[in-house]
Amino acid sequence: MKQLIAANWKMYKKWEEALSTAREILVGTHKQLPDNREVLIFPSFPLLKVVSDIIAEQKEYYLGGQNFYPALEGAFTGEVSPTQLLDLGCSYALVGHSERRHLFKEDDSFLAKKVKFGLEQGLKIVFCIGEKLEERKANQVKEVLLYQLETGLQDIVLKDSETLTIAYEPVWAIGTGEVANIEDILEAHKIIRDFLKERFKFGEEIRILYGGSVKPANASQILSLDNVNGVLVGGASLSADSFNQIILA
């Protein structure tokens, strides 16, 4: 399977900044992009069109929405639908990012609805899971990850392995500069892989990303690990130079 290098820009950048960064990413990597890599960018909603215009015709470069509401349309002020994301050129969407879980209080049952609805509408879903620091200290990593997987993916029927990606993001490592050590990443990704193999007939082929303070300095080592099929990058993706180094790591 191809490794997926994904950028989550969160609530950063204005129009011109997004235009410049997207161009620099494309110019800096597309001629050197390894055959086993794909690039995915998650801009904020106002920036989807400008990034789409840059990467739309480029093979192996994809656009994603950071969030959506599980309905086709309706009186949901401030929300966007999967069909609106698809119309803007998105092929992917994030569900379950720790900031949605903890800042915006999206619970597991609501996240399950989003995963199911997004897949039904034709989006590829990057489903984020991960433990908080107190849960890791209490040796509850496996319990937490399996619960999030079981509840978030309930009643899901996949057409193929490419429609779903799991992103393991230990909450305590997001934006903190802290990175899970090699043993922690290997352990968590094996838990996820074993679940996927048991749950889906092509569970061995579903990509598992690592996210949590990924930088140019550690990307190559992380990408070389068993069951790590890509990375979800936050802060280091805001600079084209640092993100390009991760893409080509």
Side-chain angles (χ1 to χ4, degrees), residues 9 18-33 39-41 50-62 239-241 243-244 247-248:
W9 288 356
L19 176 66
S20 174
T21 304
R23 279 178 175 163
E24 290 174 25
I25 290 171
L26 189 61
V27 170
T29 62
H30 81 282
K31 290 184 179 179
Q32 307 172 64
L33 190 67
V39 179
L40 170 59
I41 302 175
V50 64
V51 177
S52 178
D53 286 347
I54 298 296
I55 67 174
E57 303 301 322
Q58 301 298 322
K59 188 178 179 182
E60 314 300 349
Y61 291 77
Y62 300 94
S239 159
D241 179 62
F243 189 55
N244 288 353
I247 292 171
L248 301 175

Side-chain angles (χ1 to χ4, degrees), residues 3 6 20 23 38 45 54 60 63 89 97 123 126 134 146 160 163 181 193-195 203 231 236:
Q3 292 183 317
S20 174
R23 279 178 175 163
E38 294 178 340
F45 295 138
I54 298 296
E60 314 300 349
L63 184 70
H97 191 280
L123 284 170
V126 177
E134 57 266 33
L146 289 179
D160 57 60
T163 55
N181 64 42
R193 179 65 69 204
D194 289 346
F195 171 88
V231 287

Side-chain angles (χ1 to χ4, degrees), residues 7-8 46 118 136 150 190 213:
N8 179 10
R136 171 163 285 280
E150 288 165 356
K190 185 179 186 305
S213 297

